[in-house]
Structures are given as C-alpha cells and as structure tokens.
Amino acid sequence: AATHSKKVINEAIRRYIGFKGIIISDDISMKALKYDLIKNITKALNAGCNIILHCNGKIDEMKKVAEIVPKIDKFTQKKTSQFYKFLR
C-alpha cells in the first residue's frame, strides 16, 4: 500500500510530482492495511506520512494512536495553519 511505501511517498509524490504539502494516511482503522494498528501507524510514519487518520471512533484504539504518533512537527503545523487560513 502507498501508505507504507517510502518509494511512493518520497520518490513519486515528493520528488517526481514535487508535492510539498502534508501527506495524510489512509484511515488506519478501516482494515485495508494488513498489519495490526500499531504496526500500520509505525509503517505509515516511517514511510513519510505527516498525519495519520483514525476514523472508526473506538476510543481504545484512539488512545493507542495518540500514544504512538509524535507531536505535530513544525512542517505539518505550518502547512495545516496555511490550509485553515485558506478556508476562512
């Protein structure tokens, strides 16, 4: 899956296409990825995703996600704040 692929994220999206925005994962909770929740999160972050989506509303899983995902870095803060300004 592209969510776990450094090659897709770094070579295709970042270098070839030249995308400089934030990259958001697929919904980690929808079971489309083959590993458990924690491994899917770790693999997505290691591949280059800036934001990890978890959308099923299960609080026990949400707590695990919050424990694993680091605080938002400066790059992601800047890009998300630019997006919110655009929406106003």
Side-chain angles (χ1 to χ4, degrees), residues 50-81:
N50 303 104
I51 295 177
I52 306 298
L53 289 182
H54 179 274
C55 304
N56 70 12
K58 294 180 181 176
I59 194 69
D60 58 324
E61 288 183 12
M62 294 164 70
K63 287 178 182 177
K64 288 180 186 177
V65 173
E67 289 172 5
I68 296 167
V69 175
K71 292 187 178 192
I72 295 175
D73 59 24
K74 298 267 188 219
F75 171 79
T76 306
Q77 286 176 353
K78 179 181 177 187
K79 293 295 183 180
T80 54
S81 67

